């Protein structure tokens, strides 16, 4: 059956704007695009350990599928959530199937009709989708601008206010001043919620994330950690109080009405977390590569192109979908997998090349890709 005409027109508009999304094909290029920051997704050891863990603990036969509230809550969930809570120094942990499921479930369920949500204007789409589903009123504040945030807070006295941000923003790679933000949230008794998707495995002595590294985690209402980046596997977790966990189990629809993760997926999460404790070498190598990348882009005169970032995400602004796609293709033709980020994913005029740095990138690869970018920019 043919697609409705109005949907065909939307696709045509995307094509005309050179913004049509397509699934990429697998390639063997040098990886500067994935979120596998410390190489866990390619770890044969973690995969094999998860398989053996299930066999040794006779968990497979207890892995019935279904909602965790019916038949899907196999014994490994409790083991994994207990370990994660201890690792993250949290009172409780509740595993969801994905970061998207967490954000949709959390923000649609926790803030209530008479509450207010104040969120950073660059918050991830999954956060904004959850907020749209909430009965609370919501307002965005200017990116990392806490004067603007305080101005909004003052408009809602005697109200439950939820402040939402990310510790590393997925498109810019920058971070807010978390100490200032925590202090502001405490000043007005707000509930601070932080998405740490891009800091797990990257910041902290054991990759525990930025808020814990800064020793601010006990002053935050809820932390959301996503496993599809630094841990290289499926799933996500909400860290918070025992009461918050109980509430989400009862009211988060993306938790209640979905099949729980398989035993192998949960075992992989558990073992990836355990692996963080022995992977200090890879975490340190990632940090060295981030420093080297920043040094080289400065030496090559590319600093003005890039958004300021000390994280594994480095974005070079190249306005225009056609131009940024052309530059990305040139880099890919030379063997480097660098992806263009197009509008409307980012605002028009903020199109960019997004470089993701990994522990397994060599300094030679980093230098080569930046030299190529310099040459192509001067040519184009």
């Amino acid at each position: 059956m043919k697609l409705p005409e109005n949907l065909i027109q939307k696709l045509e508009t995307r094509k005309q704007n050179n913004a049509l999304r397509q699934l990429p094909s697998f390639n063997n290029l040098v990886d500067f695009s994935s979120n596998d920051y410390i190489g866990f997704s390619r770890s044969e050891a973690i995969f094999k350990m998860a398989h053996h863990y299930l066999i040794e603990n006779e968990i497979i036969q207890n892995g019935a599928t279904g909602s965790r509230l019916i038949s899907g809550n196999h014994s490994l969930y409790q083991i994994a959530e207990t370990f994660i809570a201890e690792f993250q120094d949290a009172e409780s942990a509740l595993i969801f199937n994905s970061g998207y499921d967490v954000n949709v479930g959390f923000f649609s369920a926790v803030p209530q009709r008479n509450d207010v949500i104040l969120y950073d204007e660059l918050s991830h789409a999954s956060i904004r989708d959850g907020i749209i589903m909430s009965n609370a009123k919501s307002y965005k504040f200017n990116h990392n601008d806490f004067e603007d945030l305080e101005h909004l807070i003052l408009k809602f006295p005697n109200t439950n206010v939820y402040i939402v941000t990310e510790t590393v923003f997925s498109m810019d790679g920058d971070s807010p001043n978390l100490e200032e933000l925590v202090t502001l949230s405490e000043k007005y008794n707000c509930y601070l919620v932080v998405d740490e998707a891009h800091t797990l495995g990257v910041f902290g002595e054991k990759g525990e994330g930025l808020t814990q590294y800064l020793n601010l985690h006990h002053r935050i209402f809820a932390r959301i950690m996503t496993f599809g980046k630094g841990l290289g596997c499926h799933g996500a977790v909400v860290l918070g109080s025992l009461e918050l966990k109980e509430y989400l189990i009862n009211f988060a629809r993306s938790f209640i009405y979905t099949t729980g993760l398989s035993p192998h997926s949960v075992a992989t999460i558990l073992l990836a977390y355990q692996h963080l404790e022995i992977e200090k070498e890879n975490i340190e190598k990632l940090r060295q590569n981030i420093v080297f990348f920043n040094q080289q882009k400065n030496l090559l005169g590319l600093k003005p192109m890039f958004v300021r970032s000390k994280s594994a995400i480095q974005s070079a602004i190249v306005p225009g979908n056609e131009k940024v796609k052309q530059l990305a293709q040139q880099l890919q033709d030379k063997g480097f997998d660098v992806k263009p980020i197009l509008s409307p994913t980012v605002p028009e005029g903020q199109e960019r090349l997004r470089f993701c740095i990994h522990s397994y990138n060599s300094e030679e690869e980093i230098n080569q890709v930046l030299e190529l970018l310099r040459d192509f920019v001067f040519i184009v």
Side-chain angles (χ1 to χ4, degrees):
M1 182 179 292
K2 189 177 180 182
L3 199 65
E5 187 60 37
N6 57 341
L7 302 187
I8 292 175
Q9 184 55 50
K10 291 185 76 172
L11 284 174
E12 286 301 318
T13 300
R14 279 284 171 91
K15 291 175 183 177
Q16 291 169 11
N17 293 335
N18 207 7
L20 185 68
R21 295 186 177 104
Q22 294 177 303
L23 294 174
S25 57
F26 176 79
N27 64 63
N28 290 313
L29 305 180
V30 177
D31 183 8
F32 279 103
S33 69
S34 81
N35 294 322
D36 186 24
Y37 301 126
I38 52 177
F40 275 18
S41 74
R42 57 179 66 195
S43 172
E44 187 176 340
I46 293 176
F47 181 85
K48 288 182 176 179
M49 284 192 299
H51 180 69
H52 290 310
Y53 184 93
L54 295 173
I55 295 174
E56 290 171 2
N57 292 278
E58 299 181 344
I59 291 174
I60 291 179
Q61 59 265 42
N62 298 322
T65 61
S67 166
R68 287 186 63 185
L69 292 173
I70 302 175
S71 60
N73 194 44
H74 47 82
S75 59
L76 190 52
Y77 268 112
Q78 182 177 354
I79 298 169
E81 287 175 344
T82 298
F83 185 91
I84 292 169
E86 291 176 355
F87 182 95
Q88 301 283 183
D89 196 19
E91 190 173 311
S92 77
L94 182 64
I95 292 174
F96 282 68
N97 286 12
S98 70
Y100 191 92
D101 285 330
V102 166
N103 283 329
V104 168
F106 183 96
F107 292 107
S108 65
V110 176
Q112 299 297 292
R113 187 173 300 278
N114 295 319
D115 298 341
V116 168
I117 306 170
L118 305 178
Y119 65 97
D120 191 290
E121 64 179 340
L122 297 189
S123 294
H124 192 266
S126 60
I127 293 174
R128 289 184 279 114
D129 285 355
I131 290 172
I132 288 171
M133 295 170 66
S134 172
N135 288 321
K137 293 180 180 179
S138 61
Y139 305 88
K140 61 185 177 182
F141 59 89
N142 295 332
H143 181 51
N144 289 339
D145 185 341
F146 300 146
E147 288 186 11
D148 187 43
L149 173 58
E150 186 169 19
H151 176 72
L152 286 171
I153 293 172
L154 290 171
K155 291 183 176 181
F156 304 102
N158 305 314
T159 303
N160 287 335
V161 174
Y162 292 85
I163 299 172
V164 186
T165 192
E166 303 177 32
T167 47
V168 166
F169 286 84
S170 60
M171 288 296 108
D172 285 17
D174 61 341
S175 299
N177 183 329
L178 290 170
E179 177 68 48
E180 182 181 350
L181 181 57
V182 168
T183 301
L184 182 64
S185 68
E186 291 175 335
K187 178 180 178 180
Y188 294 103
N189 297 313
C190 298
Y191 297 91
L192 180 57
V193 183
V194 295
D195 186 318
E196 294 221 53
H198 293 278
T199 65
L200 181 60
V202 179
F203 290 91
E205 183 183 350
K206 299 182 293 185
E208 60 268 26
L210 189 54
T211 59
Q212 199 169 337
Y213 172 66
L214 296 174
N215 197 31
L216 297 171
H217 53 297
H218 288 307
R219 300 163 65 187
I220 293 170
F221 176 66
R223 288 177 284 159
I224 295 167
M225 319 295 291
T226 299
F227 307 146
K229 282 78 176 176
L231 288 196
C233 56
H234 294 285
V237 70
V238 177
L239 304 169
S241 68
L242 289 169
E243 291 85 358
L244 176 61
K245 179 174 181 175
E246 183 177 36
Y247 183 86
L248 291 170
I249 290 171
N250 279 274
F251 293 100
R253 295 170 71 86
S254 63
F255 176 87
I256 299 166
Y257 299 109
T258 192
T259 299
L261 292 170
S262 69
H264 192 279
S265 292
V266 181
T268 303
I269 293 167
L270 173 62
L271 289 163
Y273 255 108
Q274 292 175 349
H275 219 61
L276 281 177
E277 296 190 311
I278 61 173
E279 276 296 330
K280 294 182 180 180
E281 183 177 341
N282 278 356
I283 295 171
E284 180 58 32
K285 182 61 167 65
L286 171 62
R287 291 174 184 153
Q288 292 173 4
N289 280 347
I290 293 169
V291 171
F292 184 76
F293 188 98
N294 277 300
Q295 289 173 340
Q296 292 306 107
K297 76 184 185 190
N298 294 347
L299 287 173
L300 294 169
L302 294 170
K303 183 178 180 180
M305 289 183 65
F306 280 83
V307 178
R308 187 176 183 274
S309 167
K310 295 182 179 181
S311 76
I313 299 170
Q314 302 283 330
S315 290
I317 304 300
V318 183
N321 282 346
E322 183 175 354
K323 186 172 183 180
V324 74
K325 286 175 72 174
Q326 178 186 352
L327 271 174
Q329 188 60 57
Q330 288 176 300
L331 293 172
Q332 291 164 18
D333 289 343
K334 293 294 186 180
F336 295 93
D337 191 13
V338 179
K339 292 294 193 295
I341 307 297
L342 313 176
S343 57
T345 299
V346 292
E348 188 173 347
Q350 290 292 307
E351 296 85 2
R352 64 198 58 195
L353 293 172
R354 182 172 180 264
F355 295 80
C356 290
I357 314 302
H358 312 92
S359 61
Y360 48 84
N361 290 134
S362 68
E363 291 189 353
E364 181 181 4
E365 290 168 346
I366 292 171
N367 190 55
Q368 286 178 345
V369 75
L370 287 175
E371 286 184 342
L372 286 169
L373 175 62
R374 177 199 58 188
D375 294 343
F376 292 147
V377 166
F378 290 151
I379 291 172
V380 168

